[in-house]
């Protein structure tokens, strides 16, 4: 049976630095959604946002109906690579949940500032929405629209796998190397 690590937000650096690639985590507490427009805004304007200290950013554009999240799957994270290292540093982000991993600059920032990248299961947006127990707030809804707004979500046992850790381990790179070896016979 796979070990389940229960995380409660906000996260502290010691807890995050103890996490390792391949571990299965269940998150309870508050997570914050952020996509392209919000990342650019945070990067360029640097507004004071105390709620991001020790936070988990979820790369997701939820669908909301009658103040309930009905779908909230992960979106591809790599396109946010340009903004992510500075957002981790400036705001004290401790984890990012997304899909597909991130690049070398984010990998360095995770190691330096004590953060991890978590992969949520793709294709499970309705299931993941059921792990969201409530909306605790929303910011920038009028400015950015529903999928790009900053949603403050309360979650319970939200599942993810650590795929990039503070030691520089990267499950996405491991899989890429193994796939290349199988396909091309070389590392």
């Amino acid at each position: 049976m796979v070990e389940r690590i229960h995380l409660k937000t906000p996260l502290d650096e010691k807890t995050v630095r103890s996490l390792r690639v391949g571990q299965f985590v269940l998150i309870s507490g508050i997570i914050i959604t952020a996509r392209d427009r919000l990342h650019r805004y945070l990067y360029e304007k640097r507004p004071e946002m105390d709620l991001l200290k020790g936070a988990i950013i979820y790369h997701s554009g939820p669908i909301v109906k009658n103040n309930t999240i009905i779908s909230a799957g992960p979106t591809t994270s790599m396109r946010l690579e340009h903004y992510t290292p500075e957002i981790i540093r400036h705001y004290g982000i401790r984890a990012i949940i997304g899909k597909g991993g991130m690049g070398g600059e984010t990998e360095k920032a995770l190691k330096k500032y004590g953060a991890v990248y978590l992969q949520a299961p793709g294709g499970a947006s309705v299931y993941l929405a059921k792990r969201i127990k409530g909306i605790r707030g929303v910011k920038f809804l009028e400015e950015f629209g529903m999928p790009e707004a900053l949603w403050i979500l309360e979650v319970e046992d939200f599942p993810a796998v650590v795929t990039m850790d503070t030691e520089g381990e990267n499950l996405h790179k491991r899989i890429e190397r193994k796939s290349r070896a199988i396909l091309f016979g070389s590392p």
Side-chain angles (χ1 to χ4, degrees), residues 11-13 15-17 19-20 55 84-85 87-89 92-96 106-118 162 164-169:
L11 301 176
D12 62 75
E13 185 173 354
T15 299
V16 170
R17 288 195 181 276
L19 297 172
R20 295 291 172 258
T84 300
I87 289 172
I88 290 170
R89 184 200 69 76
I93 301 300
R94 291 288 173 218
I96 296 166
T106 295
E107 190 174 317
K108 290 176 195 172
L110 297 175
K111 190 173 183 177
K112 184 173 183 178
Y113 301 113
V116 291
Y117 181 83
L118 307 170
V162 179
M164 296 171 73
D165 67 24
T166 61
E167 296 295 310
E169 290 297 316

PDB file of all heavy atoms in Angstrom, residues 11-13 15-17 19-20 55 84-85 87-89 92-96 106-118 162 164-169:
ATOM      1  N   LEU A  11       1.676  25.602   4.542  1.00  0.00           N
ATOM      2  CA  LEU A  11       2.807  24.698   4.694  1.00  0.00           C
ATOM      3  C   LEU A  11       4.022  25.451   5.232  1.00  0.00           C
ATOM      4  O   LEU A  11       4.231  26.614   4.910  1.00  0.00           O
ATOM      5  CB  LEU A  11       3.168  24.070   3.346  1.00  0.00           C
ATOM      6  CG  LEU A  11       2.073  23.256   2.659  1.00  0.00           C
ATOM      7  CD1 LEU A  11       2.553  22.791   1.295  1.00  0.00           C
ATOM      8  CD2 LEU A  11       1.643  22.085   3.515  1.00  0.00           C
ATOM      9  N   ASP A  12       4.830  24.744   6.019  1.00  0.00           N
ATOM     10  CA  ASP A  12       6.083  25.345   6.488  1.00  0.00           C
ATOM     11  C   ASP A  12       7.247  24.724   5.719  1.00  0.00           C
ATOM     12  O   ASP A  12       7.135  23.635   5.141  1.00  0.00           O
ATOM     13  CB  ASP A  12       6.251  25.174   7.999  1.00  0.00           C
ATOM     14  CG  ASP A  12       6.335  23.725   8.409  1.00  0.00           C
ATOM     15  OD1 ASP A  12       7.393  23.109   8.188  1.00  0.00           O
ATOM     16  OD2 ASP A  12       5.334  23.201   8.944  1.00  0.00           O
ATOM     17  N   GLU A  13       8.369  25.408   5.717  1.00  0.00           N
ATOM     18  CA  GLU A  13       9.519  24.975   4.934  1.00  0.00           C
ATOM     19  C   GLU A  13      10.041  23.604   5.372  1.00  0.00           C
ATOM     20  O   GLU A  13      10.397  22.774   4.535  1.00  0.00           O
ATOM     21  CB  GLU A  13      10.637  26.010   5.017  1.00  0.00           C
ATOM     22  CG  GLU A  13      11.808  25.689   4.123  1.00  0.00           C
ATOM     23  CD  GLU A  13      12.853  26.784   4.055  1.00  0.00           C
ATOM     24  OE1 GLU A  13      12.631  27.879   4.614  1.00  0.00           O
ATOM     25  OE2 GLU A  13      13.898  26.534   3.425  1.00  0.00           O
ATOM     26  N   THR A  15       8.458  21.021   6.662  1.00  0.00           N
ATOM     27  CA  THR A  15       7.582  19.963   6.130  1.00  0.00           C
ATOM     28  C   THR A  15       7.824  19.755   4.649  1.00  0.00           C
ATOM     29  O   THR A  15       7.967  18.623   4.178  1.00  0.00           O
ATOM     30  CB  THR A  15       6.102  20.317   6.386  1.00  0.00           C
ATOM     31  OG1 THR A  15       5.890  20.414   7.793  1.00  0.00           O
ATOM     32  CG2 THR A  15       5.171  19.275   5.791  1.00  0.00           C
ATOM     33  N   VAL A  16       7.892  20.838   3.903  1.00  0.00           N
ATOM     34  CA  VAL A  16       8.062  20.752   2.452  1.00  0.00           C
ATOM     35  C   VAL A  16       9.409  20.119   2.104  1.00  0.00           C
ATOM     36  O   VAL A  16       9.497  19.276   1.214  1.00  0.00           O
ATOM     37  CB  VAL A  16       7.908  22.151   1.808  1.00  0.00           C
ATOM     38  CG1 VAL A  16       8.315  22.135   0.351  1.00  0.00           C
ATOM     39  CG2 VAL A  16       6.471  22.632   1.961  1.00  0.00           C
ATOM     40  N   ARG A  17      10.449  20.499   2.830  1.00  0.00           N
ATOM     41  CA  ARG A  17      11.781  19.938   2.543  1.00  0.00           C
ATOM     42  C   ARG A  17      11.874  18.449   2.900  1.00  0.00           C
ATOM     43  O   ARG A  17      12.779  17.758   2.447  1.00  0.00           O
ATOM     44  CB  ARG A  17      12.866  20.744   3.243  1.00  0.00           C
ATOM     45  CG  ARG A  17      13.082  22.102   2.594  1.00  0.00           C
ATOM     46  CD  ARG A  17      14.384  22.749   3.029  1.00  0.00           C
ATOM     47  NE  ARG A  17      14.558  24.054   2.413  1.00  0.00           N
ATOM     48  CZ  ARG A  17      15.065  24.263   1.201  1.00  0.00           C
ATOM     49  NH1 ARG A  17      15.460  23.225   0.461  1.00  0.00           N
ATOM     50  NH2 ARG A  17      15.192  25.478   0.719  1.00  0.00           N
ATOM     51  N   LEU A  19       9.523  16.304   1.999  1.00  0.00           N
ATOM     52  CA  LEU A  19       8.806  15.577   0.946  1.00  0.00           C
ATOM     53  C   LEU A  19       9.771  15.117  -0.146  1.00  0.00           C
ATOM     54  O   LEU A  19      10.717  15.821  -0.484  1.00  0.00           O
ATOM     55  CB  LEU A  19       7.714  16.459   0.347  1.00  0.00           C
ATOM     56  CG  LEU A  19       6.609  16.888   1.314  1.00  0.00           C
ATOM     57  CD1 LEU A  19       5.688  17.913   0.647  1.00  0.00           C
ATOM     58  CD2 LEU A  19       5.816  15.692   1.813  1.00  0.00           C
ATOM     59  N   ARG A  20       9.477  13.949  -0.728  1.00  0.00           N
ATOM     60  CA  ARG A  20      10.324  13.385  -1.774  1.00  0.00           C
ATOM     61  C   ARG A  20       9.498  12.957  -2.978  1.00  0.00           C
ATOM     62  O   ARG A  20       8.327  12.572  -2.857  1.00  0.00           O
ATOM     63  CB  ARG A  20      11.095  12.160  -1.246  1.00  0.00           C
ATOM     64  CG  ARG A  20      12.086  12.490  -0.160  1.00  0.00           C
ATOM     65  CD  ARG A  20      13.261  13.312  -0.709  1.00  0.00           C
ATOM     66  NE  ARG A  20      14.111  13.791   0.346  1.00  0.00           N
ATOM     67  CZ  ARG A  20      14.103  15.037   0.829  1.00  0.00           C
ATOM     68  NH1 ARG A  20      13.263  15.940   0.364  1.00  0.00           N
ATOM     69  NH2 ARG A  20      14.946  15.388   1.771  1.00  0.00           N
ATOM     70  N   ALA A  55       1.559  29.143   0.976  1.00  0.00           N
ATOM     71  CA  ALA A  55       0.388  28.638   0.247  1.00  0.00           C
ATOM     72  C   ALA A  55       0.742  27.584  -0.799  1.00  0.00           C
ATOM     73  O   ALA A  55       1.897  27.403  -1.182  1.00  0.00           O
ATOM     74  CB  ALA A  55      -0.346  29.790  -0.433  1.00  0.00           C
ATOM     75  N   THR A  84       7.082  31.698 -12.538  1.00  0.00           N
ATOM     76  CA  THR A  84       7.028  30.897 -11.321  1.00  0.00           C
ATOM     77  C   THR A  84       8.195  31.076 -10.358  1.00  0.00           C
ATOM     78  O   THR A  84       7.960  31.246  -9.154  1.00  0.00           O
ATOM     79  CB  THR A  84       6.817  29.421 -11.678  1.00  0.00           C
ATOM     80  OG1 THR A  84       5.580  29.313 -12.402  1.00  0.00           O
ATOM     81  CG2 THR A  84       6.750  28.543 -10.454  1.00  0.00           C
ATOM     82  N   PRO A  85       9.448  31.057 -10.796  1.00  0.00           N
ATOM     83  CA  PRO A  85      10.537  31.191  -9.817  1.00  0.00           C
ATOM     84  C   PRO A  85      10.429  32.470  -8.980  1.00  0.00           C
ATOM     85  O   PRO A  85      10.604  32.429  -7.755  1.00  0.00           O
ATOM     86  CB  PRO A  85      11.803  31.188 -10.682  1.00  0.00           C
ATOM     87  CG  PRO A  85      11.411  30.408 -11.888  1.00  0.00           C
ATOM     88  CD  PRO A  85       9.972  30.786 -12.141  1.00  0.00           C
ATOM     89  N   ILE A  87       7.721  34.271  -8.403  1.00  0.00           N
ATOM     90  CA  ILE A  87       6.516  34.214  -7.561  1.00  0.00           C
ATOM     91  C   ILE A  87       6.781  33.352  -6.319  1.00  0.00           C
ATOM     92  O   ILE A  87       6.381  33.707  -5.217  1.00  0.00           O
ATOM     93  CB  ILE A  87       5.305  33.716  -8.378  1.00  0.00           C
ATOM     94  CG1 ILE A  87       4.881  34.820  -9.363  1.00  0.00           C
ATOM     95  CG2 ILE A  87       4.148  33.315  -7.479  1.00  0.00           C
ATOM     96  CD1 ILE A  87       3.836  34.400 -10.363  1.00  0.00           C
ATOM     97  N   ILE A  88       7.481  32.235  -6.487  1.00  0.00           N
ATOM     98  CA  ILE A  88       7.854  31.400  -5.340  1.00  0.00           C
ATOM     99  C   ILE A  88       8.685  32.218  -4.358  1.00  0.00           C
ATOM    100  O   ILE A  88       8.422  32.243  -3.161  1.00  0.00           O
ATOM    101  CB  ILE A  88       8.625  30.138  -5.791  1.00  0.00           C
ATOM    102  CG1 ILE A  88       7.691  29.171  -6.521  1.00  0.00           C
ATOM    103  CG2 ILE A  88       9.293  29.444  -4.600  1.00  0.00           C
ATOM    104  CD1 ILE A  88       8.414  28.015  -7.209  1.00  0.00           C
ATOM    105  N   ARG A  89       9.696  32.904  -4.875  1.00  0.00           N
ATOM    106  CA  ARG A  89      10.597  33.681  -4.022  1.00  0.00           C
ATOM    107  C   ARG A  89       9.874  34.832  -3.332  1.00  0.00           C
ATOM    108  O   ARG A  89       9.933  34.977  -2.115  1.00  0.00           O
ATOM    109  CB  ARG A  89      11.757  34.247  -4.834  1.00  0.00           C
ATOM    110  CG  ARG A  89      12.785  34.993  -3.960  1.00  0.00           C
ATOM    111  CD  ARG A  89      13.661  35.941  -4.759  1.00  0.00           C
ATOM    112  NE  ARG A  89      12.935  37.087  -5.266  1.00  0.00           N
ATOM    113  CZ  ARG A  89      12.548  38.153  -4.545  1.00  0.00           C
ATOM    114  NH1 ARG A  89      12.805  38.219  -3.264  1.00  0.00           N
ATOM    115  NH2 ARG A  89      11.900  39.148  -5.120  1.00  0.00           N
ATOM    116  N   GLY A  92       6.649  33.501  -1.074  1.00  0.00           N
ATOM    117  CA  GLY A  92       6.822  32.405  -0.119  1.00  0.00           C
ATOM    118  C   GLY A  92       5.915  31.226  -0.381  1.00  0.00           C
ATOM    119  O   GLY A  92       5.485  30.533   0.540  1.00  0.00           O
ATOM    120  N   ILE A  93       5.653  30.962  -1.657  1.00  0.00           N
ATOM    121  CA  ILE A  93       4.840  29.811  -2.053  1.00  0.00           C
ATOM    122  C   ILE A  93       5.582  28.539  -1.654  1.00  0.00           C
ATOM    123  O   ILE A  93       6.794  28.435  -1.837  1.00  0.00           O
ATOM    124  CB  ILE A  93       4.599  29.812  -3.588  1.00  0.00           C
ATOM    125  CG1 ILE A  93       3.902  31.086  -4.043  1.00  0.00           C
ATOM    126  CG2 ILE A  93       3.854  28.558  -4.036  1.00  0.00           C
ATOM    127  CD1 ILE A  93       2.569  31.341  -3.442  1.00  0.00           C
ATOM    128  N   ARG A  94       4.879  27.546  -1.128  1.00  0.00           N
ATOM    129  CA  ARG A  94       5.506  26.291  -0.703  1.00  0.00           C
ATOM    130  C   ARG A  94       5.205  25.119  -1.622  1.00  0.00           C
ATOM    131  O   ARG A  94       5.914  24.112  -1.593  1.00  0.00           O
ATOM    132  CB  ARG A  94       5.085  25.937   0.719  1.00  0.00           C
ATOM    133  CG  ARG A  94       5.652  26.850   1.747  1.00  0.00           C
ATOM    134  CD  ARG A  94       7.140  26.606   1.936  1.00  0.00           C
ATOM    135  NE  ARG A  94       7.702  27.607   2.816  1.00  0.00           N
ATOM    136  CZ  ARG A  94       8.881  28.146   2.654  1.00  0.00           C
ATOM    137  NH1 ARG A  94       9.656  27.767   1.668  1.00  0.00           N
ATOM    138  NH2 ARG A  94       9.320  29.057   3.485  1.00  0.00           N
ATOM    139  N   ALA A  95       4.141  25.216  -2.440  1.00  0.00           N
ATOM    140  CA  ALA A  95       3.845  24.110  -3.361  1.00  0.00           C
ATOM    141  C   ALA A  95       3.029  24.628  -4.534  1.00  0.00           C
ATOM    142  O   ALA A  95       2.286  25.601  -4.408  1.00  0.00           O
ATOM    143  CB  ALA A  95       3.092  22.993  -2.653  1.00  0.00           C
ATOM    144  N   ILE A  96       3.199  23.935  -5.643  1.00  0.00           N
ATOM    145  CA  ILE A  96       2.419  24.201  -6.847  1.00  0.00           C
ATOM    146  C   ILE A  96       1.813  22.873  -7.249  1.00  0.00           C
ATOM    147  O   ILE A  96       2.500  21.846  -7.284  1.00  0.00           O
ATOM    148  CB  ILE A  96       3.300  24.733  -7.987  1.00  0.00           C
ATOM    149  CG1 ILE A  96       3.899  26.083  -7.583  1.00  0.00           C
ATOM    150  CG2 ILE A  96       2.513  24.831  -9.289  1.00  0.00           C
ATOM    151  CD1 ILE A  96       5.022  26.539  -8.478  1.00  0.00           C
ATOM    152  N   THR A 106      12.304  26.796 -12.533  1.00  0.00           N
ATOM    153  CA  THR A 106      11.419  26.478 -11.405  1.00  0.00           C
ATOM    154  C   THR A 106      12.057  25.411 -10.536  1.00  0.00           C
ATOM    155  O   THR A 106      12.009  25.481  -9.307  1.00  0.00           O
ATOM    156  CB  THR A 106      10.030  26.037 -11.902  1.00  0.00           C
ATOM    157  OG1 THR A 106       9.405  27.143 -12.557  1.00  0.00           O
ATOM    158  CG2 THR A 106       9.152  25.558 -10.760  1.00  0.00           C
ATOM    159  N   GLU A 107      12.692  24.436 -11.157  1.00  0.00           N
ATOM    160  CA  GLU A 107      13.375  23.383 -10.396  1.00  0.00           C
ATOM    161  C   GLU A 107      14.404  23.993  -9.440  1.00  0.00           C
ATOM    162  O   GLU A 107      14.485  23.609  -8.266  1.00  0.00           O
ATOM    163  CB  GLU A 107      14.048  22.417 -11.375  1.00  0.00           C
ATOM    164  CG  GLU A 107      14.590  21.171 -10.745  1.00  0.00           C
ATOM    165  CD  GLU A 107      15.117  20.199 -11.785  1.00  0.00           C
ATOM    166  OE1 GLU A 107      14.472  19.993 -12.829  1.00  0.00           O
ATOM    167  OE2 GLU A 107      16.199  19.640 -11.528  1.00  0.00           O
ATOM    168  N   LYS A 108      15.167  24.962  -9.914  1.00  0.00           N
ATOM    169  CA  LYS A 108      16.155  25.647  -9.062  1.00  0.00           C
ATOM    170  C   LYS A 108      15.469  26.409  -7.934  1.00  0.00           C
ATOM    171  O   LYS A 108      15.945  26.407  -6.794  1.00  0.00           O
ATOM    172  CB  LYS A 108      16.990  26.617  -9.896  1.00  0.00           C
ATOM    173  CG  LYS A 108      17.948  25.966 -10.848  1.00  0.00           C
ATOM    174  CD  LYS A 108      18.648  27.031 -11.682  1.00  0.00           C
ATOM    175  CE  LYS A 108      19.339  26.431 -12.884  1.00  0.00           C
ATOM    176  NZ  LYS A 108      19.847  27.471 -13.796  1.00  0.00           N
ATOM    177  N   ALA A 109      14.370  27.080  -8.238  1.00  0.00           N
ATOM    178  CA  ALA A 109      13.649  27.860  -7.222  1.00  0.00           C
ATOM    179  C   ALA A 109      13.051  26.952  -6.148  1.00  0.00           C
ATOM    180  O   ALA A 109      13.062  27.310  -4.965  1.00  0.00           O
ATOM    181  CB  ALA A 109      12.552  28.705  -7.868  1.00  0.00           C
ATOM    182  N   LEU A 110      12.547  25.791  -6.544  1.00  0.00           N
ATOM    183  CA  LEU A 110      12.004  24.843  -5.567  1.00  0.00           C
ATOM    184  C   LEU A 110      13.082  24.462  -4.558  1.00  0.00           C
ATOM    185  O   LEU A 110      12.846  24.450  -3.344  1.00  0.00           O
ATOM    186  CB  LEU A 110      11.473  23.588  -6.261  1.00  0.00           C
ATOM    187  CG  LEU A 110      10.315  23.744  -7.233  1.00  0.00           C
ATOM    188  CD1 LEU A 110      10.014  22.405  -7.919  1.00  0.00           C
ATOM    189  CD2 LEU A 110       9.079  24.300  -6.579  1.00  0.00           C
ATOM    190  N   LYS A 111      14.258  24.176  -5.061  1.00  0.00           N
ATOM    191  CA  LYS A 111      15.375  23.766  -4.221  1.00  0.00           C
ATOM    192  C   LYS A 111      15.838  24.916  -3.324  1.00  0.00           C
ATOM    193  O   LYS A 111      16.012  24.748  -2.116  1.00  0.00           O
ATOM    194  CB  LYS A 111      16.520  23.279  -5.114  1.00  0.00           C
ATOM    195  CG  LYS A 111      17.650  22.616  -4.383  1.00  0.00           C
ATOM    196  CD  LYS A 111      18.644  22.019  -5.370  1.00  0.00           C
ATOM    197  CE  LYS A 111      19.752  21.281  -4.654  1.00  0.00           C
ATOM    198  NZ  LYS A 111      20.671  20.645  -5.580  1.00  0.00           N
ATOM    199  N   LYS A 112      16.006  26.085  -3.906  1.00  0.00           N
ATOM    200  CA  LYS A 112      16.545  27.229  -3.170  1.00  0.00           C
ATOM    201  C   LYS A 112      15.596  27.756  -2.092  1.00  0.00           C
ATOM    202  O   LYS A 112      16.016  28.060  -0.979  1.00  0.00           O
ATOM    203  CB  LYS A 112      16.880  28.357  -4.152  1.00  0.00           C
ATOM    204  CG  LYS A 112      17.528  29.560  -3.498  1.00  0.00           C
ATOM    205  CD  LYS A 112      17.981  30.566  -4.526  1.00  0.00           C
ATOM    206  CE  LYS A 112      18.701  31.727  -3.852  1.00  0.00           C
ATOM    207  NZ  LYS A 112      19.204  32.696  -4.845  1.00  0.00           N
ATOM    208  N   TYR A 113      14.312  27.847  -2.421  1.00  0.00           N
ATOM    209  CA  TYR A 113      13.364  28.505  -1.514  1.00  0.00           C
ATOM    210  C   TYR A 113      12.486  27.533  -0.719  1.00  0.00           C
ATOM    211  O   TYR A 113      11.694  27.963   0.100  1.00  0.00           O
ATOM    212  CB  TYR A 113      12.495  29.490  -2.292  1.00  0.00           C
ATOM    213  CG  TYR A 113      13.317  30.545  -2.988  1.00  0.00           C
ATOM    214  CD1 TYR A 113      13.386  30.589  -4.370  1.00  0.00           C
ATOM    215  CD2 TYR A 113      14.058  31.473  -2.252  1.00  0.00           C
ATOM    216  CE1 TYR A 113      14.160  31.549  -5.008  1.00  0.00           C
ATOM    217  CE2 TYR A 113      14.837  32.424  -2.882  1.00  0.00           C
ATOM    218  CZ  TYR A 113      14.890  32.458  -4.264  1.00  0.00           C
ATOM    219  OH  TYR A 113      15.661  33.403  -4.889  1.00  0.00           O
ATOM    220  N   GLY A 114      12.635  26.242  -0.957  1.00  0.00           N
ATOM    221  CA  GLY A 114      11.876  25.257  -0.183  1.00  0.00           C
ATOM    222  C   GLY A 114      10.437  25.121  -0.626  1.00  0.00           C
ATOM    223  O   GLY A 114       9.522  25.425   0.123  1.00  0.00           O
ATOM    224  N   ALA A 115      10.253  24.636  -1.856  1.00  0.00           N
ATOM    225  CA  ALA A 115       8.910  24.404  -2.404  1.00  0.00           C
ATOM    226  C   ALA A 115       8.940  23.105  -3.210  1.00  0.00           C
ATOM    227  O   ALA A 115      10.010  22.607  -3.552  1.00  0.00           O
ATOM    228  CB  ALA A 115       8.467  25.578  -3.279  1.00  0.00           C
ATOM    229  N   VAL A 116       7.758  22.569  -3.496  1.00  0.00           N
ATOM    230  CA  VAL A 116       7.648  21.351  -4.290  1.00  0.00           C
ATOM    231  C   VAL A 116       6.607  21.537  -5.384  1.00  0.00           C
ATOM    232  O   VAL A 116       5.744  22.407  -5.287  1.00  0.00           O
ATOM    233  CB  VAL A 116       7.254  20.116  -3.424  1.00  0.00           C
ATOM    234  CG1 VAL A 116       8.386  19.722  -2.491  1.00  0.00           C
ATOM    235  CG2 VAL A 116       5.970  20.344  -2.670  1.00  0.00           C
ATOM    236  N   TYR A 117       6.744  20.693  -6.394  1.00  0.00           N
ATOM    237  CA  TYR A 117       5.738  20.629  -7.458  1.00  0.00           C
ATOM    238  C   TYR A 117       4.968  19.332  -7.273  1.00  0.00           C
ATOM    239  O   TYR A 117       5.565  18.258  -7.102  1.00  0.00           O
ATOM    240  CB  TYR A 117       6.396  20.663  -8.841  1.00  0.00           C
ATOM    241  CG  TYR A 117       5.385  20.632  -9.968  1.00  0.00           C
ATOM    242  CD1 TYR A 117       4.757  21.795 -10.398  1.00  0.00           C
ATOM    243  CD2 TYR A 117       5.031  19.431 -10.570  1.00  0.00           C
ATOM    244  CE1 TYR A 117       3.815  21.763 -11.418  1.00  0.00           C
ATOM    245  CE2 TYR A 117       4.087  19.393 -11.590  1.00  0.00           C
ATOM    246  CZ  TYR A 117       3.486  20.561 -12.002  1.00  0.00           C
ATOM    247  OH  TYR A 117       2.540  20.537 -13.007  1.00  0.00           O
ATOM    248  N   LEU A 118       3.646  19.441  -7.296  1.00  0.00           N
ATOM    249  CA  LEU A 118       2.753  18.299  -7.111  1.00  0.00           C
ATOM    250  C   LEU A 118       1.928  18.097  -8.372  1.00  0.00           C
ATOM    251  O   LEU A 118       1.437  19.059  -8.955  1.00  0.00           O
ATOM    252  CB  LEU A 118       1.817  18.557  -5.928  1.00  0.00           C
ATOM    253  CG  LEU A 118       2.475  18.949  -4.609  1.00  0.00           C
ATOM    254  CD1 LEU A 118       1.423  19.418  -3.616  1.00  0.00           C
ATOM    255  CD2 LEU A 118       3.277  17.790  -4.051  1.00  0.00           C
ATOM    256  N   VAL A 162       4.081  14.032  -5.344  1.00  0.00           N
ATOM    257  CA  VAL A 162       5.258  14.900  -5.425  1.00  0.00           C
ATOM    258  C   VAL A 162       6.057  14.466  -6.652  1.00  0.00           C
ATOM    259  O   VAL A 162       6.503  13.314  -6.732  1.00  0.00           O
ATOM    260  CB  VAL A 162       6.137  14.784  -4.158  1.00  0.00           C
ATOM    261  CG1 VAL A 162       7.374  15.693  -4.278  1.00  0.00           C
ATOM    262  CG2 VAL A 162       5.342  15.103  -2.904  1.00  0.00           C
ATOM    263  N   MET A 164       8.387  16.932  -8.224  1.00  0.00           N
ATOM    264  CA  MET A 164       9.623  17.731  -8.187  1.00  0.00           C
ATOM    265  C   MET A 164       9.821  18.151  -6.730  1.00  0.00           C
ATOM    266  O   MET A 164       8.917  18.745  -6.145  1.00  0.00           O
ATOM    267  CB  MET A 164       9.514  18.958  -9.090  1.00  0.00           C
ATOM    268  CG  MET A 164       9.361  18.634 -10.568  1.00  0.00           C
ATOM    269  SD  MET A 164       8.979  20.085 -11.599  1.00  0.00           S
ATOM    270  CE  MET A 164      10.554  20.928 -11.604  1.00  0.00           C
ATOM    271  N   ASP A 165      11.005  17.830  -6.167  1.00  0.00           N
ATOM    272  CA  ASP A 165      11.197  18.118  -4.750  1.00  0.00           C
ATOM    273  C   ASP A 165      12.325  19.117  -4.504  1.00  0.00           C
ATOM    274  O   ASP A 165      12.935  19.631  -5.452  1.00  0.00           O
ATOM    275  CB  ASP A 165      11.374  16.824  -3.948  1.00  0.00           C
ATOM    276  CG  ASP A 165      12.651  16.063  -4.262  1.00  0.00           C
ATOM    277  OD1 ASP A 165      13.637  16.665  -4.741  1.00  0.00           O
ATOM    278  OD2 ASP A 165      12.675  14.839  -3.998  1.00  0.00           O
ATOM    279  N   THR A 166      12.611  19.377  -3.239  1.00  0.00           N
ATOM    280  CA  THR A 166      13.617  20.378  -2.862  1.00  0.00           C
ATOM    281  C   THR A 166      15.048  19.870  -3.008  1.00  0.00           C
ATOM    282  O   THR A 166      15.993  20.638  -2.857  1.00  0.00           O
ATOM    283  CB  THR A 166      13.409  20.849  -1.406  1.00  0.00           C
ATOM    284  OG1 THR A 166      13.539  19.731  -0.534  1.00  0.00           O
ATOM    285  CG2 THR A 166      12.057  21.495  -1.215  1.00  0.00           C
ATOM    286  N   GLU A 167      15.209  18.597  -3.301  1.00  0.00           N
ATOM    287  CA  GLU A 167      16.539  18.017  -3.500  1.00  0.00           C
ATOM    288  C   GLU A 167      16.937  18.033  -4.976  1.00  0.00           C
ATOM    289  O   GLU A 167      18.013  17.536  -5.324  1.00  0.00           O
ATOM    290  CB  GLU A 167      16.567  16.578  -2.970  1.00  0.00           C
ATOM    291  CG  GLU A 167      16.342  16.483  -1.466  1.00  0.00           C
ATOM    292  CD  GLU A 167      17.465  17.126  -0.683  1.00  0.00           C
ATOM    293  OE1 GLU A 167      18.648  16.830  -0.954  1.00  0.00           O
ATOM    294  OE2 GLU A 167      17.156  17.944   0.218  1.00  0.00           O
ATOM    295  N   GLY A 168      16.057  18.551  -5.838  1.00  0.00           N
ATOM    296  CA  GLY A 168      16.352  18.579  -7.266  1.00  0.00           C
ATOM    297  C   GLY A 168      15.910  17.335  -8.010  1.00  0.00           C
ATOM    298  O   GLY A 168      16.184  17.190  -9.200  1.00  0.00           O
ATOM    299  N   GLU A 169      15.237  16.420  -7.320  1.00  0.00           N
ATOM    300  CA  GLU A 169      14.711  15.231  -7.998  1.00  0.00           C
ATOM    301  C   GLU A 169      13.498  15.625  -8.825  1.00  0.00           C
ATOM    302  O   GLU A 169      12.687  16.452  -8.405  1.00  0.00           O
ATOM    303  CB  GLU A 169      14.347  14.147  -6.988  1.00  0.00           C
ATOM    304  CG  GLU A 169      15.541  13.512  -6.321  1.00  0.00           C
ATOM    305  CD  GLU A 169      16.444  12.783  -7.309  1.00  0.00           C
ATOM    306  OE1 GLU A 169      15.936  12.054  -8.186  1.00  0.00           O
ATOM    307  OE2 GLU A 169      17.673  12.960  -7.210  1.00  0.00           O
TER     308      GLU A 169
END
